[in-house]
Amino acid sequence: MKRLAVYCGSASPADPVYIETAQAVGRALAERGIGLVYGGGRLGLMGAVADACIHAGGEVIGVIPEALCSKEVRNDLCTELHIVPGMHERKKMFTDLSDGFITIPGGVGTMDELWEAISWAQLGYHEKPVGVLNVAGFYDHLVAFNQHMIDVGFVREAHKNIMIVDDTLDGLITRMAAYEPHQTIFRMKADDL
């Protein structure tokens, strides 16, 4: 894996575990020689992951929609900063530029990115690993809900392992590197989106 997209929040929650996790992810990617693709902002976890990667000498590619440039305060320290028309183009560029996805804590936007990466994998738009770093049990309910969708039959048996979950970054990256693509519903191309 040469580059990983990291999905995370632009907020800074009071509990320092979240910012510390973002910083640890940024440093770890740089130390492993894995480039970071992320939302292009300087605030919250988004800014923390990028700053840590930059300070550790890593490649940082930001992708930010025009409308969010002033609100999220774009990060001009990125190795590359792409300003795109909207969220759809942002997520497509994340997919085009990365070899996989890591989701760390975040809010609605982070969930949108995670579920779209999973749904695109189901449909065959990509065959890349989709990881979730379950820091301090943040995603326990999401993991349980995903299992509930599997149990009820809304997620096919062939797709139950698309979402790779681990409590540690080392474990997650190891599992993502070993990911074997699943059977897709269709074989589609990103240009079909």
Side-chain angles (χ1 to χ4, degrees), residues 63-186:
V63 184
I64 189 166
E66 291 171 353
L68 298 179
C69 278
S70 61
K71 291 180 183 176
E72 286 189 8
V73 189
R74 74 178 190 218
N75 188 347
D76 292 318
L77 299 177
C78 294
T79 309
E80 294 176 29
L81 182 64
H82 299 272
I83 299 172
V84 295
M87 296 299 285
H88 177 76
E89 293 85 0
R90 181 193 221 183
K91 291 182 284 186
K92 184 177 182 309
M93 188 170 274
F94 285 156
T95 303
D96 292 344
L97 293 175
S98 69
D99 299 310
F101 315 89
I102 293 179
T103 302
I104 64 175
V108 173
T110 304
M111 292 300 91
D112 174 55
E113 292 164 340
L114 169 63
W115 290 119
E116 187 159 290
I118 292 170
S119 123
W120 285 11
Q122 288 178 332
L123 294 171
Y125 287 115
H126 71 78
E127 294 182 341
K128 301 172 184 184
V130 181
V132 173
L133 184 58
N134 191 18
V135 177
F138 184 81
Y139 284 120
D140 285 351
H141 295 291
L142 178 108
V143 172
F145 179 65
N146 190 58
Q147 186 59 52
H148 178 64
M149 290 190 295
I150 293 165
D151 294 343
V152 170
F154 284 111
V155 174
R156 295 174 177 171
E157 186 69 20
H159 301 150
K160 71 179 185 178
N161 295 319
I162 290 175
M163 186 168 71
I164 303 165
V165 182
D166 207 293
D167 297 342
T168 69
L169 183 60
D170 285 340
L172 185 60
I173 289 176
T174 298
R175 292 178 64 203
M176 289 175 67
Y179 175 71
E180 301 250 349
H182 56 281
Q183 178 64 45
T184 62
I185 297 172
F186 305 106

